[in-house]
Amino acid sequence: MGERLTTPDRFSLRVPARADLIGTLRVFVSTIARHVGLDDDAIEDVKLAVSEACADPVEAGVDGPVELVIAADAAGLRVEIASRVWAEGPAAPELPEGIDARTFDRVELVRALFADAERSDEDGIRVVRFSTGSRASETPDS
Amino acid sequence: MAVIDLVLESRTESGWGVLAVKGEVDLYTSPQLREKVSELVDQGHSRLLIDLTDVGFMDSSGLGVLVTGLKRARERDGTLALVCPEGSVHKVLTITGLDRVFPIHGSVAEAVAS
């Protein structure tokens, strides 16, 4: 389990766990991503990963806020999305034959975008973290 | 606060029920899309075409709506196809493998001619 981000170039935004605020978090992270020079494709991946990671606790109806923390350095961004732990994940939609339920596992989708993505629970806080340096399209075997 | 609008416009074209979607599809806006897709299926459109050309962002909430719509269309011996040019939305379909589930076209004209 990694330590919480504490670098000097650290940005954070804490919002109530509401669906209408997920777009605000996307705008926030994309602004910083653009500021540090990520290209458009990478920015879109970061937005998607943040949206997925934030939607999980919102959909589960957690109490308390969702916090997005971003550390920026020469290697890109390290991103954390933190919320209170919830007991059960949201149900997948009714699926037609031939579609795997894992398609709708939001953390799996984040991992498909960023190879180092992980989810951990500590002291009642659930954190999803990833770094743009592990972006799938930037790895040698992608 | 970022206000996210989703614009949904439906029409019939060459026997297809066409739903043009504009905006961002996420956990907040996907219920609007779900309701509209259900409405079109209930109206008897057995061939439904969702035009995602002007969707700037879509996460798995939107994918869930599309998959549910496909299931409902198939239950009525119909189909649900997508118009989705290359870009970020197309990438979401690809990394989830749903590009192998939905017929995907580059334009409405191409889709209705197929």
Side-chain angles (χ1 to χ4, degrees):
Chain A
M1 187 178 299
E3 296 179 4
R4 301 299 304 275
L5 299 175
T6 57
T7 62
D9 290 334
R10 179 181 182 277
F11 309 83
S12 66
L13 182 61
R14 179 184 294 189
V15 301
R18 293 189 349 222
D20 61 322
L21 295 175
I22 294 175
T24 302
L25 295 167
R26 287 199 303 271
V27 170
F28 181 70
V29 74
S30 64
T31 301
I32 296 167
R34 194 168 301 282
H35 182 70
V36 301
L38 294 188
D39 64 31
D40 289 345
D41 288 345
I43 292 171
E44 288 302 315
D45 286 356
V46 172
K47 284 170 58 182
L48 178 58
V50 166
S51 196
E52 297 292 350
C54 294
D56 251 352
V58 171
E59 196 166 35
V62 298
D63 290 330
V66 173
E67 184 177 28
L68 171 61
V69 183
I70 304 161
D73 58 27
L77 302 181
R78 286 178 292 139
V79 180
E80 288 184 351
I81 300 94
S83 66
R84 288 187 182 169
V85 170
W86 61 93
E88 297 179 9
E94 290 184 52
L95 300 176
E97 194 174 331
I99 298 179
D100 191 330
R102 284 164 54 94
T103 301
F104 299 96
D105 183 326
R106 295 182 187 277
V107 177
E108 284 298 318
L109 184 47
V110 177
R111 287 195 186 102
L113 295 166
F114 298 99
D116 67 352
E118 62 172 10
R119 188 175 81 171
S120 60
D121 293 350
E122 185 175 359
D123 298 330
I125 301 297
R126 179 162 291 171
V127 180
V128 174
R129 54 172 60 87
F130 63 89
S131 62
T132 57
S134 74
R135 185 166 169 251
S137 62
E138 294 181 350
T139 55
D141 54 354
S142 64
Chain B
M1 180 185 303
V3 178
I4 305 169
D5 290 323
L6 195 64
V7 179
L8 303 169
E9 296 176 345
S10 60
R11 66 184 189 276
T12 301
E13 189 167 331
S14 301
W16 287 80
V18 180
L19 177 60
V21 186
K22 297 179 183 178
E24 299 193 345
V25 184
D26 67 1
L27 186 64
Y28 181 58
T29 59
S30 60
Q32 299 170 53
L33 179 59
R34 183 183 306 276
E35 183 177 352
K36 189 65 178 178
V37 170
S38 293
E39 177 186 314
L40 292 172
V41 172
D42 290 343
Q43 287 174 352
H45 291 286
S46 60
R47 294 196 298 171
L48 197 55
L49 184 61
I50 311 291
D51 182 0
L52 302 173
T53 303
D54 292 321
V55 173
F57 175 86
M58 185 168 71
D59 68 10
S60 62
S61 305
L63 300 181
V65 173
L66 299 178
V67 166
T68 301
L70 175 64
K71 182 173 188 291
R72 295 201 60 203
R74 284 181 178 173
E75 287 170 352
R76 298 178 179 223
D77 297 323
T79 189
L80 188 153
L82 305 176
V83 174
C84 187
E86 292 293 329
S88 61
V89 176
H90 195 283
K91 180 176 180 179
V92 180
L93 294 165
T94 301
I95 62 177
T96 55
L98 292 178
D99 60 329
R100 298 188 299 272
V101 174
F102 291 97
I104 299 178
H105 304 276
S107 67
V108 172
E110 175 191 312
V112 299
S114 63

